[in-house]
Short mmCIF file of all heavy atoms in Angstrom, two decimals:
data_model
loop_
_atom_site.label_atom_id
_atom_site.label_comp_id
_atom_site.label_asym_id
_atom_site.label_seq_id
_atom_site.Cartn_x
_atom_site.Cartn_y
_atom_site.Cartn_z
N SER B 323 3.24 -14.61 20.44
CA SER B 323 2.62 -14.44 19.17
C SER B 323 1.67 -15.63 18.91
O SER B 323 1.97 -16.81 19.27
CB SER B 323 3.72 -14.47 18.13
OG SER B 323 3.27 -13.76 17.02
N GLY B 324 0.47 -15.36 18.46
CA GLY B 324 -0.45 -16.45 18.11
C GLY B 324 -1.22 -16.97 19.22
O GLY B 324 -1.87 -18.08 19.10
N GLY B 326 -3.70 -15.69 20.70
CA GLY B 326 -5.16 -15.37 20.67
C GLY B 326 -5.51 -13.95 21.16
O GLY B 326 -6.69 -13.65 21.39
N LYS B 327 -4.54 -13.10 21.26
CA LYS B 327 -4.82 -11.73 21.74
C LYS B 327 -5.72 -11.05 20.80
O LYS B 327 -6.76 -10.43 21.21
CB LYS B 327 -3.42 -11.01 21.95
CG LYS B 327 -2.49 -11.65 22.88
CD LYS B 327 -1.21 -10.77 23.04
CE LYS B 327 -0.41 -10.58 21.75
NZ LYS B 327 0.41 -11.75 21.34
N SER B 328 -5.35 -11.03 19.52
CA SER B 328 -6.27 -10.27 18.56
C SER B 328 -7.58 -10.91 18.46
O SER B 328 -8.61 -10.19 18.22
CB SER B 328 -5.52 -10.24 17.19
OG SER B 328 -4.32 -9.50 17.34
N THR B 329 -7.63 -12.24 18.62
CA THR B 329 -8.92 -12.87 18.60
C THR B 329 -9.86 -12.38 19.65
O THR B 329 -11.03 -12.10 19.54
CB THR B 329 -8.74 -14.43 18.61
OG1 THR B 329 -7.80 -14.78 17.66
CG2 THR B 329 -10.05 -15.15 18.39
N ILE B 331 -9.73 -9.61 21.20
CA ILE B 331 -10.13 -8.25 20.87
C ILE B 331 -11.28 -8.22 19.88
O ILE B 331 -12.21 -7.47 20.00
CB ILE B 331 -8.87 -7.49 20.31
CG1 ILE B 331 -7.99 -7.09 21.49
CG2 ILE B 331 -9.27 -6.27 19.53
CD1 ILE B 331 -6.88 -6.20 21.11
N ARG B 332 -11.15 -9.09 18.89
CA ARG B 332 -12.27 -9.12 17.84
C ARG B 332 -13.58 -9.56 18.48
O ARG B 332 -14.61 -9.13 17.99
CB ARG B 332 -11.88 -10.19 16.79
CG ARG B 332 -10.83 -9.61 15.79
CD ARG B 332 -10.51 -10.57 14.75
NE ARG B 332 -9.40 -10.13 13.87
CZ ARG B 332 -8.40 -10.86 13.46
NH1 ARG B 332 -8.50 -12.14 13.73
NH2 ARG B 332 -7.41 -10.36 12.82
N GLN B 374 -3.51 -3.51 14.99
CA GLN B 374 -2.06 -3.71 15.16
C GLN B 374 -1.18 -2.81 14.24
O GLN B 374 -0.25 -2.19 14.74
CB GLN B 374 -1.72 -5.24 14.83
CG GLN B 374 -0.79 -5.74 15.90
CD GLN B 374 -0.89 -7.29 15.81
OE1 GLN B 374 -1.86 -7.89 15.67
NE2 GLN B 374 0.29 -7.94 16.02
N ASP B 451 -4.31 -2.67 20.05
CA ASP B 451 -3.55 -3.88 19.77
C ASP B 451 -2.12 -3.51 19.44
O ASP B 451 -1.83 -2.97 18.47
CB ASP B 451 -4.18 -4.65 18.59
CG ASP B 451 -3.83 -6.14 18.56
OD1 ASP B 451 -2.89 -6.46 19.29
OD2 ASP B 451 -4.47 -6.87 17.81
N GLU B 452 -1.17 -3.90 20.33
CA GLU B 452 0.25 -3.64 20.20
C GLU B 452 0.59 -2.29 19.59
O GLU B 452 1.16 -2.16 18.53
CB GLU B 452 0.91 -4.73 19.27
CG GLU B 452 0.63 -6.11 19.90
CD GLU B 452 1.61 -7.17 19.31
OE1 GLU B 452 2.66 -6.76 18.88
OE2 GLU B 452 1.31 -8.34 19.40
N VAL B 482 -3.18 -4.50 24.35
CA VAL B 482 -2.43 -5.73 24.10
C VAL B 482 -0.98 -5.37 23.83
O VAL B 482 -0.68 -4.50 23.02
CB VAL B 482 -2.97 -6.41 22.88
CG1 VAL B 482 -2.06 -7.56 22.40
CG2 VAL B 482 -4.37 -6.92 23.03
MG1 MG D 213 -2.38 -9.95 17.23
#
Side-chain angles (χ1 to χ4, degrees):
Chain B
S323 210
K327 302 182 296 286
S328 297
T329 308
I331 282 186
R332 283 180 189 143
Q374 224 162 321
D451 199 349
E452 301 200 24
V482 170

